[in-house]
Amino acid sequence: METIGFIGTGHLGYPIAENLLKAGYTLRIYNRTREKALPLEQLGAILVGSPEETAVKGGIVLSLVADDKALEAIATDALVQALGEGGIHVSMSTVSPDISRELSAGHAKHGVLFVGAPVFARPEAATAKAGNSVISGPAKAKERIRPLLEAGFARNIFDLGEDAGSANVLKLMGNFMIAGALELMAEAFALAEKNGVDPREAYEMLTTTLFSGPIFRNYGAMILDRKFTGNPSFSAELGLKDMDLVLQTARKSHTADAAG
């Protein structure tokens, strides 16, 4: 099977890389903290010392990093040149639409295709290949990467067209709605407690009737069980980053003006 480059084996990248290795792909992996990727060597991964070393000519590199700055740091001219004509860079990170569009234009000057493909999945959903993927970019690149997304984490793939930033817009929309749901549930459960209503009974009634989606069921249970403390798979810092990106994107697109 094809050799794939993979950059970023954090909480979410790790299970995706693990699934790809188990599916028979050879991965050339770069992670800023090398030690975190070491267990993947036992599955056949090749650990390399720089982002550009993950690439093979005309091949595919998947990246999943924290933010715009981290994506810029790995999406260098060296990586683009290493991929070469016909190569594909798939950004699975939650980043701004602007950075995806900028990188898409820059990559294209060297014949490299860029696809925005942010991940909708918690680590356990990625492990179970029960996540959702939204993709945008050149059609021929999207068709080529579909088997990787399915093998890595995605039960469903939604195609948003050619604009590389469109997938990131939808990802920010989703994270904004999740954040709103978390706040909504926390305040509602507090209201129940303050008024002598068992919040778990309220949770069961509401999430099996009016609010039966996975966000309300899964995150609602986590709020009740206080599972957002300790060592969460998603930090408050990254959550704030996402909300800042939502505001940034809204301002640039004059969303508030349109809403008014």
Side-chain angles (χ1 to χ4, degrees), residues 118-159:
V119 176
F120 280 95
R122 288 180 54 78
E124 59 270 24
T127 298
K129 301 182 186 179
N132 297 291
S133 177
V134 289
I135 58 175
S136 58
K140 62 181 179 180
K142 290 182 294 189
E143 189 62 29
R144 187 174 165 192
I145 69 169
R146 274 181 174 269
L148 292 174
L149 300 178
E150 292 168 347
F153 74 94
R155 177 177 294 168
N156 304 296
I157 300 174
F158 300 86
D159 190 337

Side-chain angles (χ1 to χ4, degrees), residues 5 79 99 130 163 182 219 237 247:
L79 176 65
I99 191 64
D163 172 25
L182 291 173
Y219 284 104
E237 181 181 5
L247 294 174

Side-chain angles (χ1 to χ4, degrees), residues 219-243:
Y219 284 104
M222 293 174 71
I223 290 171
L224 288 174
D225 293 336
R226 305 297 198 267
K227 286 190 175 179
F228 289 95
T229 59
N231 185 27
S233 62
F234 190 80
S235 69
E237 181 181 5
L238 288 178
L240 177 60
K241 177 267 295 185
D242 290 352
M243 295 307 100

Side-chain angles (χ1 to χ4, degrees), residues 57-256:
K57 286 292 183 184
I60 299 171
V61 169
L62 308 176
S63 65
L64 210 174
V65 294
D67 52 26
D68 286 32
K69 184 177 179 180
L71 180 56
E72 286 181 307
I74 63 100
T76 61
D77 288 343
L79 176 65
V80 172
Q81 290 167 7
L83 276 168
E85 185 80 24
I88 302 172
H89 177 193
V90 183
S91 170
M92 299 191 294
S93 309
T94 301
V95 293
S96 71
D98 285 348
I99 191 64
S100 287
R101 291 169 182 142
E102 290 170 12
L103 290 176
S104 177
H107 284 33
K109 294 177 182 178
H110 302 277
V112 175
L113 304 177
F114 180 93
V115 179
V119 176
F120 280 95
R122 288 180 54 78
E124 59 270 24
T127 298
K129 301 182 186 179
N132 297 291
S133 177
V134 289
I135 58 175
S136 58
K140 62 181 179 180
K142 290 182 294 189
E143 189 62 29
R144 187 174 165 192
I145 69 169
R146 274 181 174 269
L148 292 174
L149 300 178
E150 292 168 347
F153 74 94
R155 177 177 294 168
N156 304 296
I157 300 174
F158 300 86
D159 190 337
L160 295 186
E162 296 276 325
D163 172 25
S166 293
N168 295 112
V169 174
L170 182 50
K171 174 61 173 172
L172 293 178
M173 290 168 56
N175 283 15
F176 178 58
M177 294 175 74
I178 291 171
L182 291 173
E183 179 66 19
L184 171 73
M185 288 186 286
E187 294 196 25
F189 295 156
L191 180 66
E193 287 181 343
K194 293 292 185 180
N195 287 274
V197 175
D198 185 341
R200 292 188 181 276
E201 291 185 4
Y203 160 82
E204 287 297 335
M205 180 271 161
L206 290 169
T207 62
T208 57
T209 56
L210 301 177
F211 302 95
S212 58
I215 294 300
F216 288 101
R217 285 293 294 175
N218 297 340
Y219 284 104
M222 293 174 71
I223 290 171
L224 288 174
D225 293 336
R226 305 297 198 267
K227 286 190 175 179
F228 289 95
T229 59
N231 185 27
S233 62
F234 190 80
S235 69
E237 181 181 5
L238 288 178
L240 177 60
K241 177 267 295 185
D242 290 352
M243 295 307 100
D244 284 342
L245 287 177
V246 170
L247 294 174
Q248 171 186 305
T249 304
R251 282 192 296 269
K252 288 190 173 183
S253 58
H254 303 287
T255 301

